[in-house]
């Protein structure tokens, strides 16, 4: 009962209570693509809750590309938590506040994933670019097909102000809404080890209608990214010098953003 399909199949809601959260996943696996989802987040006192939209493979050495929305007390902003895992290793977090209330209407959250970079977008505004730095010895997610996942769950041990603010279960059930899921992506067939785009695991062949396969930011996109990161970024792992006793990760030295 915690996942409801409504409005003739056009809307899916997930709910969380003290017993369990809920989630869903795509039928297909993908190896590169553009993935769009419209979300309306848990309103009111959402402290302790995490609403997600992400890509992931399975296993200890999995790859993952994350949008996680960390709830907060009424009147306090949500935190958008982004992360990238490759071969089971993450620790590449960037966090942001949003420039709108994500609980009153639907907004579009997008992931563009190709072999050169990953772009996170909110209402088609880039908030983060994670580039392929394999030349520096940094693993990049490009060899494991991933499914699309979404979930709503309790993480009050860390989600809100480092776990200092707990979930108020008197407010349950908590509900988040999803609609207009769209993919323009390469569907991976595990049976034949082939992609619908015609590429192997290490390539993503360019089709005329799939500009995401080589997409990067133009001058306007770079300006919008800079605006978001200067005004709304609240955490950047590359700037957390105290966290890395051996020095900041090599990709941080090469990234302007």
């Amino acid at each position: 009962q915690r996942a409801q399909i409504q409005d003739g199949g056009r809307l899916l809601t997930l709910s969380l209570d003290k017993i369990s959260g809920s989630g869903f996943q795509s039928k297909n696996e993908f190896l590169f693509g553009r993935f769009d989802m419209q979300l309306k987040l848990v309103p009111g006192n959402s402290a302790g809750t995490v609403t997600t939209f992400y890509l992931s493979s399975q296993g200890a050495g999995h790859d993952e590309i994350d949008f996680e929305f960390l709830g907060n007390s009424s009147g306090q902003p949500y935190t958008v938590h982004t992360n990238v895992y490759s071969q089971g290793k993450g620790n590449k977090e960037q966090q942001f506040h949003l420039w709108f209330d994500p609980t009153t209407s639907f907004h579009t959250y997008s992931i563009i994933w190709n072999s050169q970079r990953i772009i996170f977008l909110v209402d088609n505004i880039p908030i983060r670019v994670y580039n392929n730095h394999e030349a520096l010895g940094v693993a990049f997610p490009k060899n494991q097909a991933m499914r699309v996942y979404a979930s709503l769950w309790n993480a009050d041990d860390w989600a809100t102000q480092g776990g200092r603010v707990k979930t108020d279960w008197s407010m349950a059930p908590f509900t988040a809404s999803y609609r207009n899921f769209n993919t323009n992506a390469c569907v991976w067939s595990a049976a034949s080890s082939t992609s619908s785009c015609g590429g192997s695991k290490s390539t993503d062949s360019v089709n005329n209608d799939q500009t995401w396969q080589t997409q990067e930011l133009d001058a306007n996109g770079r300006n919008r990214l800079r605006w978001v990161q200067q005004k709304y970024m609240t955490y950047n792992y590359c700037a957390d010098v105290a966290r890395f006793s051996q020095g900041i990760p090599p990709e941080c030295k090469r990234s302007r953003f």
Side-chain angles (χ1 to χ4, degrees):
Q1 299 96 340
R2 294 181 182 87
Q4 300 286 332
I5 297 175
Q6 303 172 5
D7 193 21
R10 290 183 288 270
L11 177 69
L12 192 152
T13 63
L14 297 179
S15 65
L16 162 70
D17 56 41
K18 199 168 186 177
I19 297 173
S20 179
S22 52
F24 60 93
Q25 68 183 51
S26 63
K27 295 179 180 179
N28 288 327
E29 291 182 293
F30 304 94
L31 193 65
F32 307 121
R34 176 173 179 140
F35 308 86
D36 303 294
M37 185 83 79
Q38 290 192 326
L39 280 77
K40 184 164 64 173
L41 301 180
V42 175
N45 184 0
S46 57
T49 69
V50 176
T51 306
T52 73
F53 164 49
Y54 64 102
L55 308 175
S56 184
S57 59
Q58 296 297 307
H62 76 291
D63 291 348
E64 189 171 326
I65 304 169
D66 287 339
F67 265 120
E68 294 185 306
F69 304 90
L70 314 183
N72 213 334
S73 303
S74 298
Q76 298 295 315
Y78 264 82
T79 295
V80 181
H81 176 98
T82 65
N83 204 353
V84 176
Y85 287 77
S86 185
Q87 300 173 22
K89 296 179 180 179
N91 298 325
K92 302 183 186 303
E93 306 91 341
Q94 287 185 358
Q95 296 182 345
F96 308 84
H97 286 158
L98 294 169
W99 49 96
F100 52 82
D101 184 345
T103 71
T104 57
S105 59
F106 284 91
H107 292 268
T108 303
Y109 303 89
S110 306
I111 296 169
I112 295 173
W113 170 38
N114 60 43
S115 59
Q116 295 86 45
R117 65 192 56 85
I118 297 162
I119 307 173
F120 297 80
L121 303 106
V122 176
D123 289 338
N124 219 35
I125 296 173
I127 66 168
R128 178 179 186 179
V129 177
Y130 182 81
N131 290 305
N132 183 336
H133 286 300
E134 289 180 301
L136 301 177
V138 180
F140 185 84
K142 69 173 192 179
N143 295 316
Q144 298 186 50
M146 297 195 262
R147 281 189 165 87
V148 179
Y149 293 87
S151 61
L152 174 58
W153 54 291
N154 176 53
D156 67 2
D157 57 328
W158 66 273
T160 303
Q161 298 180 34
R164 292 187 296 275
V165 180
K166 302 298 183 182
T167 304
D168 180 358
W169 291 110
S170 70
M171 305 293 292
F174 303 95
T175 302
S177 302
Y178 295 77
R179 73 179 187 189
N180 288 345
F181 170 54
N182 185 63
T183 63
N184 182 356
C186 301
V187 178
W188 180 255
S189 170
S192 61
S193 294
T194 57
S195 161
S196 64
C197 295
S200 68
K201 281 196 172 185
S202 60
T203 62
D204 49 347
S205 303
V206 178
N207 295 334
N208 290 333
D209 61 343
Q210 293 179 325
T211 56
W212 57 263
Q213 292 196 330
T214 56
Q215 189 164 340
E216 57 186 336
L217 298 188
D218 58 14
N220 181 58
R222 291 192 295 272
N223 286 335
R224 302 188 91 178
L225 176 67
R226 190 176 295 110
W227 171 76
V228 170
Q229 297 203 341
Q230 288 176 350
K231 291 181 66 70
Y232 298 103
M233 177 181 278
T234 60
Y235 179 81
N236 180 6
Y237 78 104
C238 283
D240 194 349
V241 178
R243 179 178 174 183
F244 301 104
S245 58
Q246 304 300 315
I248 63 171
E251 70 271 16
C252 296
K253 302 171 186 177
R254 294 290 296 273
S255 176
R256 292 177 59 195
F257 304 107

